[in-house]
Amino acid sequence: MHRLISTFSLLPLLFISTVALADCDEASKHELKTAKSVGWKLDDDGKRQNLALSAADCLGVADAELRDEMAFEGLSAWMRAEKLTLSTLTSLRVKMLNAVQAPADEATSFLRPFAILTLAELVRVDRKKPYLSAEERVDIVNAGSHYLSNLRDYRGFDPKDGWRHGIAHSADLMLQLAMNPAIEKAQHEAMLAAIASQIAPSTHFYQYGEGVRLMTAVFYLARTPSFNKRDWDLWFNKLMDNTIQPGPYTQARLAQRHNVSAFLLPLYFSVRESTDPAIKENLLPALREAVRKVN
């Protein structure tokens, strides 16, 4: 995420008043299961709005089916079908921002990554039909960039616990923000810096497609007018200087090589296949050299 890119600092995180999530009760679980069984089609609009807010309270539970296949799936389905009111969307945004800003511990290990993923859906709604103010978009960029930069829980999928996947979910938020024409250069810079900080961690080998998700966000940032060829040359040089270092192999160096390769190769393919000449001109020279270094 840097342009001399490492010189870009994240914008100050704007905290909002605490709105704690309520407990996810059995009634909510039953109602979500029933709604799922009918394809999330509820004729009672008031009931839908209330159930959406109840679903938000279930995003942090240990029950993988309830958390992922009912709570998040329902919220996503209703948002994509434009079935939630502005009041409900606003309540969800406030809840999710506060959840993302909650202290990182085992109690929030499911809640925070699913709150980030829900923010991605809320931003998608704004991209399709703007409803957020400029300040509210900046709040989301700041919270998402801060969360991604400081994330150290790299757990993806577990057969018992299901998904956490904070890195990939954060990349999804960055993607939706990158695609939003209302997001400005300063926010693009903060987002790119946050992404760069997690492309090649030395403490973990990515194995659940994290590189592709991070790559996709960068590819769409490259489609904005915020960065030119010189910016990308500097960014790729900095990325490689931080990840490909001389010396004997260690687990840390192997992890970095593995992770940066999982990012660079799909990005190289995407840029080569792009029909946008500006992307090819701006990215391909430095990207080609980066791929050469990692192989």
Side-chain angles (χ1 to χ4, degrees), residues 209-226:
E210 293 89 344
V212 172
R213 302 276 271 276
L214 291 165
M215 174 281 295
T216 306
V218 170
F219 181 82
Y220 275 87
L221 280 170
R223 296 180 64 178
T224 73
S226 293

Side-chain angles (χ1 to χ4, degrees), residues 11 25 48 86 90 94 137 149 152 160 162 171 182 227 254 291:
L11 297 176
D25 55 29
R48 185 192 311 113
L86 177 58
T90 299
V94 172
R137 294 187 188 101
S149 299
R152 297 298 178 266
K160 176 179 176 292
F227 308 104
L254 287 170
V291 170

Side-chain angles (χ1 to χ4, degrees), residues 33 66 77 92 101 109 111 114 162 188 199 253 256 290:
K33 187 173 183 178
L66 174 56
L92 289 171
Q101 295 167 175
S109 67
L111 174 59
F114 275 87
H188 289 154
I199 287 173
R253 284 176 175 165
Q256 287 186 305

Side-chain angles (χ1 to χ4, degrees), residues 251-272:
Q251 282 295 99
R253 284 176 175 165
L254 287 170
Q256 287 186 305
R257 279 182 170 269
H258 167 86
N259 294 332
V260 76
S261 180
F263 168 82
L264 290 173
L265 293 177
L267 181 59
Y268 181 72
F269 177 81
S270 298
V271 173
R272 282 290 303 270

Side-chain angles (χ1 to χ4, degrees), residues 24-34 47 51 54 58:
C24 179
D25 55 29
E26 284 298 316
S28 298
K29 181 176 181 178
H30 175 73
E31 289 182 4
L32 285 167
K33 187 173 183 178
T34 300
K47 183 176 181 180
L51 187 54
S54 296
C58 298

Side-chain angles (χ1 to χ4, degrees), residues 2-22:
H2 318 13
R3 198 173 81 344
L4 225 156
I5 242 164
S6 59
T7 64
F8 297 153
S9 60
L10 290 175
L11 297 176
L13 187 60
L14 301 178
F15 291 95
I16 51 184
S17 59
T18 300
V19 178
L21 297 186

